[in-house]
Amino acid sequence: MFEILEKTLLTALGAASLTQKKTEELACELRQRFNLSEEEGKKLVTSVQEAVKQRQQDLQDAARDEVRQAAERLGLVPRSELEALEQRVRQLEEQLGQN
């Protein structure tokens, strides 16, 4: 039964972020409604918080990948590549100045 509650809660949450207080309030309500023990309630809070953090990280990773792909489609180069080219140009300018 605990797993069903957890899955239902996570499904309802989607990718939404919950604050610590809101998560604890929700867990307290579920504990009362479904007669969960204190330990099960804490486990539920921890589980939900971990799932939310993972979903947030997944969304950040997906957004980062999408931005990177969009930049590539537009022909933009990474800053590190630009800085390497600038350094190379400086080196070549110094070499030309010495001759």
Side-chain angles (χ1 to χ4, degrees):
M1 180 165 136
F2 181 76
E3 290 179 19
I4 294 171
L5 287 173
E6 182 180 20
K7 288 179 183 179
T8 302
L9 179 61
L10 291 175
T11 301
L13 292 175
S17 174
L18 288 179
T19 64
Q20 174 77 22
K21 182 178 179 182
K22 185 66 176 172
T23 303
E24 289 174 359
E25 288 172 2
L26 188 55
C28 183
E29 180 182 331
L30 289 173
R31 266 196 335 260
Q32 292 172 354
R33 188 178 287 180
F34 295 101
N35 198 26
L36 299 176
S37 70
E38 183 74 22
E39 184 178 322
E40 289 173 321
K42 287 180 181 180
K43 183 178 177 183
L44 179 61
V45 168
T46 301
S47 177
V48 169
Q49 288 173 334
E50 289 173 1
V52 167
K53 285 179 187 178
Q54 183 59 49
R55 287 197 174 123
Q56 287 174 333
Q57 185 63 48
D58 292 346
L59 286 173
Q60 287 176 349
D61 292 345
R64 189 176 300 115
D65 289 343
E66 188 59 37
V67 168
R68 189 179 358 260
Q69 290 173 7
E72 288 175 7
R73 286 192 298 267
L74 292 171
L76 303 176
V77 296
R79 180 177 299 275
S80 60
E81 190 175 321
L82 176 62
E83 290 171 351
L85 287 172
E86 289 173 340
Q87 177 65 26
R88 180 68 178 136
V89 168
R90 279 193 294 276
Q91 290 172 348
L92 290 171
E93 288 174 339
E94 288 174 10
Q95 288 176 356
L96 289 173
Q98 291 177 358
N99 291 335

